[in-house]
Amino acid sequence: MCVDRNFFRFGKYLAVASVILSFGVSGVSWASFAEGEEAYLRNDQWGAFLKFLELAKQGDAASQAMIGRMYVEGLGAPRDLRTAVNFYEKAAIQGHAAAQFQLAKMLANGAGAKPDLVRAAQWMEKSAEQGVPWAQLSVGQMYRDGAGVAPDAVQALKWINVAAGAAVVAETPQTAETIRLAKVAKTELEASMPIEKVKESQALAASLRASKRTPDTQWQKAIYRPLEVKAPEARPADAKDNSETRLIRDYYPQSR
């Protein structure tokens, strides 16, 4: 017996929707972030999604960031970039550094939202201010290239300087590669600038490092490693229909 796989996909949409509705009316909390994280790391996708979703609905920024990630990855729920942007933005507004970075990347790439380099640069700088090295490098590149901000070599070198000297609790392949790229960009940019401008940027970088801040440090968790999310390729004109409608149409084919 052969069953159309769309039947199962459509059922998954309905299951996710029913869970979201049930959490919207429930005031009982049975999950913790640690439980969701443990489920995610052991690849219990549905279990992790349920635990994070309950906490996200209660306003927990860390869980909102994880729900955004799971919608991007299509883990525990169908891949949905628009919903991912929505959850990332909720977390970013609350100051979650990893969510700010990921939201900036999605806005810059037009993934799940219209491309918006200005908003992308704003969120990227907020993440950079919290010590996220890949955000610091990205902000430096934005100032260098004039992407979403006015070109400013001094600001560009400031942020690249900070990224190149990033001090992290536990170095990962992502942070190691980011620091390496920042050092290369630093050398190239310094060679193109007058010495007085280089010194100005170095002073700004030193001031930023010495500033008294209480940044969010959850970005250093492995579960928040950066994702490269690109806008989906445009579908042919004859395929531009609602995804739920398409699933129903495919499962209940029209008579010929």
Side-chain angles (χ1 to χ4, degrees):
M1 178 179 178
C2 179
V3 180
D4 194 318
R5 63 192 177 121
N6 283 330
F7 174 75
F8 294 105
R9 290 175 58 201
F10 187 56
K12 197 171 185 181
Y13 275 99
L14 294 178
V16 171
S18 66
V19 169
I20 291 173
L21 288 174
S22 67
F23 286 144
V25 298
S26 172
V28 179
S29 176
W30 52 268
S32 72
F33 184 86
E35 290 172 330
E37 181 179 11
E38 193 274 333
Y40 180 85
L41 291 174
R42 72 168 185 267
N43 205 30
D44 177 8
Q45 301 171 5
W46 181 238
F49 183 84
L50 292 181
K51 293 179 187 299
F52 286 137
L53 182 62
E54 182 191 3
L55 296 171
K57 291 293 182 179
Q58 296 172 20
D60 180 65
S63 297
Q64 289 168 343
M66 282 306 299
I67 287 294
R69 184 182 191 89
M70 294 186 80
Y71 271 116
V72 168
E73 296 177 307
L75 299 179
R79 191 168 193 258
D80 186 337
L81 297 184
R82 288 190 179 186
T83 302
V85 165
N86 182 47
F87 275 100
Y88 273 133
E89 187 164 21
K90 290 177 187 295
I93 289 170
Q94 295 191 69
H96 195 281
Q100 290 170 343
F101 169 81
Q102 209 61 62
L103 176 61
K105 291 290 288 184
M106 294 182 77
L107 290 171
N109 293 336
K114 291 183 178 179
D116 190 332
L117 287 176
V118 173
R119 285 182 65 210
Q122 291 168 347
W123 282 118
M124 192 67 79
E125 192 153 359
K126 287 181 183 297
S127 181
E129 288 169 350
Q130 299 205 69
V132 182
W134 34 84
Q136 292 166 344
L137 176 58
S138 294
V139 171
Q141 293 167 333
M142 285 177 158
Y143 274 111
R144 181 194 63 193
D145 303 335
V149 292
D152 188 326
V154 171
Q155 284 295 317
L157 186 55
K158 176 191 83 171
W159 283 114
I160 291 173
N161 250 314
V162 172
V168 294
V169 174
E171 189 172 275
T172 65
Q174 289 84 9
T175 55
E177 177 64 6
T178 298
I179 292 169
R180 186 191 71 79
L181 291 173
K183 288 178 178 179
V184 172
K186 175 177 178 290
T187 300
E188 292 175 349
L189 195 53
E190 285 179 342
S192 68
M193 294 170 62
I195 187 62
E196 62 272 13
K197 293 295 184 183
V198 171
K199 290 181 178 179
E200 181 183 352
S201 70
Q202 290 172 340
L204 290 172
S207 176
L208 182 63
R209 291 193 193 98
S211 63
K212 300 295 183 181
R213 294 171 293 141
T214 54
D216 165 50
T217 58
Q218 288 199 42
W219 64 267
Q220 297 189 53
K221 284 177 170 281
I223 57 174
Y224 293 122
R225 66 191 182 282
L227 291 171
E228 187 61 39
V229 189
K230 297 182 179 179
E233 294 183 6
R235 293 186 299 166
D238 61 359
K240 291 182 179 178
D241 58 349
N242 180 272
S243 58
E244 287 82 358
T245 301
R246 189 173 69 255
L247 289 172
I248 295 171
R249 182 196 66 205
D250 290 346
Y251 188 62
Y252 299 102
Q254 298 176 355
S255 55
R256 299 180 183 275

